Amino acid sequence: MQLKHPQVRRRRLPREQRHRLILEEAVRFFAEVGFEGQTRVLAERLGVTQPLLYRYFPDKDSLIDSVFDEVFLKRWKPEWEVMLRDRSRTLLDRLSEFNKAYWRELSSPEPVRIFMFAGLKGEKISQAYLELMRDKVLEPICAELRHEIGLPPPEELPIDEMEIHMAWALQGAIFHIAMRKWIYKVAVPEDIDRLVEYTVRAYLHGSAATLKDMLAARV
């Protein structure tokens, strides 16, 4: 007589807890395999059925949107925007403090790998992140640099793309430290705070003179 194995019943979880577990695993999953990863495989990793997964996220696109919110939007601190515009402090201090905090948000592999996979796949979340950075970081940096060196504010002379690219040079340098660590798997300096300060100093010293020449040519 063949013995029947007792059925293993999946533990029922509150909806919010199940939603959180799926989202956290989706972040790890897409950071590991990229956005070509199938939701069927994600469901298997979670020990649930694919139809159950779609009860929480109607389709793969909605799941990816939630991953973006989790990895990028929820990590953004509104106080950073206030601090970047706080003219009671030097721009060197503000940019150093911001980028040290920004680095700490990049000191895990998920945001870096997800951003890279999204860019390669053409996912809209990479474009959404770039727009977030432009609005909340790059344009404020350009405006504050102008103020620091006594140049016209954006209200008088609009910020152009060349200025934005110069600000990207700073943020790209910080992001590249994380890429070296999580993408290329090479060693990065232990004293990241010191590296950030040097990087900010290099940006400010080089950009000030360049920006003066650029704006002089426009007026």
Side-chain angles (χ1 to χ4, degrees):
M1 181 176 65
Q2 185 177 7
L3 296 176
K4 292 184 178 180
H5 295 285
Q7 286 188 331
V8 178
R9 299 181 62 185
R10 185 173 61 241
R11 184 164 61 95
R12 295 181 64 85
L13 296 174
R15 181 174 180 82
E16 286 302 315
Q17 187 176 350
R18 177 75 69 186
H19 182 278
R20 166 55 47 185
L21 289 174
I22 292 173
L23 183 55
E24 289 176 351
E25 186 59 32
V27 169
R28 289 189 289 267
F29 177 68
F30 289 130
E32 178 185 331
V33 306
F35 291 100
E36 297 290 351
Q38 300 178 346
T39 54
R40 173 184 57 79
V41 177
L42 172 60
E44 290 173 358
R45 285 175 53 149
L46 284 158
V48 302
T49 64
Q50 193 174 25
L52 186 144
L53 189 151
Y54 284 134
R55 285 171 54 189
Y56 292 85
F57 300 93
D59 51 38
K60 186 175 180 180
D61 285 343
S62 67
L63 179 57
I64 290 173
D65 287 343
S66 294
V67 166
F68 171 75
D69 290 346
E70 182 71 16
V71 172
F72 296 110
L73 296 188
K74 289 186 178 180
R75 291 172 183 246
W76 182 260
K77 307 293 190 299
E79 57 266 29
W80 291 346
E81 299 170 59
V82 177
M83 182 264 292
L84 282 172
R85 292 179 168 86
D86 180 8
R87 291 177 178 173
S88 68
R89 304 170 57 190
T90 67
L91 187 54
L92 173 61
D93 287 344
R94 286 178 274 160
L95 289 182
S96 295
E97 181 178 334
F98 167 72
N99 278 294
K100 290 172 187 177
Y102 180 60
W103 161 258
R104 287 191 286 273
E105 296 302 326
L106 297 175
S107 59
S108 62
E110 288 82 9
V112 181
R113 293 181 60 83
I114 283 175
F115 178 75
M116 295 302 296
F117 279 128
L120 291 170
K121 181 71 165 53
E123 292 289 345
K124 61 183 180 181
I125 66 171
S126 60
Q127 186 61 40
Y129 176 72
L130 295 177
E131 291 171 0
L132 170 74
M133 289 294 293
R134 179 177 182 126
D135 180 54
K136 297 184 181 298
V137 179
L138 304 180
E139 291 185 355
I141 288 177
C142 293
E144 295 308 309
L145 178 59
R146 286 190 184 189
H147 180 268
E148 187 88 351
I149 59 180
L151 295 177
E155 297 79 31
E156 295 181 15
L157 189 63
I159 294 169
D160 69 7
E161 289 304 308
M162 193 64 69
E163 288 180 77
I164 294 293
H165 283 299
M166 288 168 58
W168 263 127
L170 170 60
Q171 297 312 126
I174 304 300
F175 192 81
H176 191 261
I177 302 169
M179 286 182 58
R180 285 161 55 196
K181 182 173 184 178
W182 301 118
I183 304 297
Y184 306 137
K185 306 294 185 183
V186 299
V188 299
E190 291 186 8
D191 191 349
I192 294 296
D193 283 358
R194 189 178 181 187
L195 178 58
V196 166
E197 290 178 5
Y198 287 161
T199 303
V200 170
R201 285 179 182 274
Y203 164 74
L204 291 176
H205 288 319
S207 296
T210 302
L211 185 58
K212 287 178 179 179
D213 292 341
M214 286 170 50
L215 295 195
R218 292 176 57 190
V219 296

